[in-house]
Amino acid sequence: MKILVLNSGSSSIKYQLFDMIDQSVLAKGYAQRIGIEDSYLEHKNNRGDKVKIEQEIHNHNEGIQLVIKALLDQAHGVLTSLDEIDAIGHRVVHGGEKFQQSTLITDDVIAQIQAVSDLAPLHNPHNLAGIAVCNQIMPNKPQVAVFDTVFHQTMESQAYTYALPYRYYQEYGVRRYGFHGTSHQYVTKRAAKVLARPLADLKLISCHLGNGASITAVKAGKSIDTSMGLTPLEGLVMGTRSGDLDPAIINYLIEKENLTISDVDSILNKQSGLLGISGISNDLRDIQKAAREGNKQAQIALDVFIYRIQKYIGAYFVALGGVDAIIFTAGVGENESNIRKEICDGLGVLNIKLDATSNQLRGEEACISTIDSSVAVLVIPTNEELMIAQDTKKIALRAT
Ligand code: AMP
């Protein structure tokens, strides 16, 4: 069974084609700068061939057509016919409260995704565009929506309710939803395997630290709290997003600088976080380099980033009533041993002991704490695409 996984963003489409017999990746790549100048598609196959196709990609339709052309190409393709694709799995960012699990896409499901799209106007419309194009090009194939929010639907009301007039929740669905759910679910399942213990017995804190960052408390395989909220803006310090802040700052800045609401929205989402504090970059590697060279703002950015993570770990330690393992994943979590060390050094009260040698490992599954550490510390590379493919397979098989 072959499954195509698509992640359609505002100006990009990421894709992976899986052979579900052994869950191997046959090909993967991404179309970038869709609808902008200088667009291109990068494509790799499992024989090691890599191509970059530079051409104008005006919209998602052209983008997905180009992906399919690359998959069928005689030189670098991996399919002889589209018939070989059995099902398509789509990442959909926001499922609101409507979707409690991954779902076979029907006209009714599309309408329901549209109905919650004003909760994620930057994401859902592009996810829907990808679905619409696949419906046109491959009308008879099962398509499955896998939502970032679903994993967090197990949170209870004390974790997801904002202290606002309650009718905003009742009328508009204003509550914490949480994101990166597919990633948190994947790494916590893998953590149980690495620890050789049943997931049902484990209390885990999952730190997804990439350009977007979130942290989740997982008890017996269920999300009980998470740092992102109604939108992916809340919580940790991110590449360009502020994370938590006093909401009164918004009005204060509007008055001080004569800004509009949309200016502030853009500042909080695109000009804040590591980039905002450092004034250098949203990329942690650039900031670490600048900090090493003595740049003070870069050091402050790192300190705030790390301290915020430690604060959440402390809160979730209490919410979980203890913790068996802390998991690091995504770009920073998988690769940055210094950051992992600094986070754990500040958690002395948990009696965490990192193993200096295994903490040097990059991008591979490992336990990086010592045997006598009170809490295990794990590095687990995330694989959201594989989770999407697995859910798609399950649901597509049920549908056929
Ligand atoms: P992500 O959003 O998961 O791709 O993560 C991007 C973040 O990970 C950026 O801040 C990068 O600086 C950081 N990072 C650190 N090391 C690496 C690496 N080897 N590969 C990719 N990202 C890295």
Side-chain angles (χ1 to χ4, degrees), residues 231-336:
T231 76
L233 181 57
E234 194 181 348
L236 301 180
V237 175
M238 306 180 220
T240 61
R241 285 174 245 163
S242 64
D244 298 336
L245 83 173
D246 179 348
I249 291 171
I250 294 171
N251 207 32
Y252 187 77
L253 290 183
I254 286 175
E255 287 185 3
K256 279 281 174 203
E257 300 222 332
N258 200 20
L259 302 173
T260 63
I261 285 286
S262 113
D263 293 335
V264 178
D265 192 57
S266 162
I267 290 166
L268 297 181
N269 277 291
K270 297 185 183 150
Q271 299 167 45
S272 297
L274 293 172
L275 171 67
I277 304 174
S278 70
I280 293 170
S281 168
N282 62 316
D283 192 304
L284 198 99
R285 289 167 287 196
D286 300 337
I287 295 169
Q288 283 184 305
K289 181 168 176 285
R292 280 196 298 273
E293 290 164 356
N295 185 302
K296 245 180 147 178
Q297 272 174 244
Q299 188 57 53
I300 296 170
L302 288 177
D303 292 345
V304 179
F305 176 76
I306 288 166
Y307 179 67
R308 184 85 52 91
I309 295 165
Q310 291 166 334
K311 237 166 56 163
Y312 268 97
I313 290 175
Y316 289 169
F317 174 78
V318 175
L320 286 163
V323 59
D324 295 298
I326 295 172
I327 305 161
F328 288 107
T329 194
V332 175
E334 292 169 26
N335 295 294
E336 293 293 340

Side-chain angles (χ1 to χ4, degrees), residues 8-78:
S8 308
S10 57
S11 61
S12 70
I13 298 168
K14 292 190 198 137
Y15 64 96
Q16 289 196 21
L17 181 70
F18 285 89
D19 187 341
M20 295 311 285
I21 288 179
D22 57 359
Q23 307 202 344
S24 63
V25 176
L26 298 170
K28 65 177 179 180
Y30 46 84
Q32 293 278 17
R33 302 184 60 82
I34 296 172
I36 315 173
E37 276 173 22
D38 304 324
S39 37
Y40 61 90
L41 178 110
E42 277 196 3
H43 172 89
K44 270 197 239 176
N45 67 21
N46 59 349
R47 302 185 296 275
D49 303 316
K50 239 179 170 180
V51 281
K52 181 170 180 181
I53 301 154
E54 288 171 294
Q55 74 172 65
E56 286 311 302
I57 310 173
H58 296 99
N59 50 45
H60 284 72
N61 195 335
E62 291 181 15
I64 291 177
Q65 296 277 9
L66 206 57
V67 169
I68 285 168
K69 204 167 149 208
L71 292 171
L72 291 170
D73 188 89
Q74 286 206 330
H76 50 257
V78 288

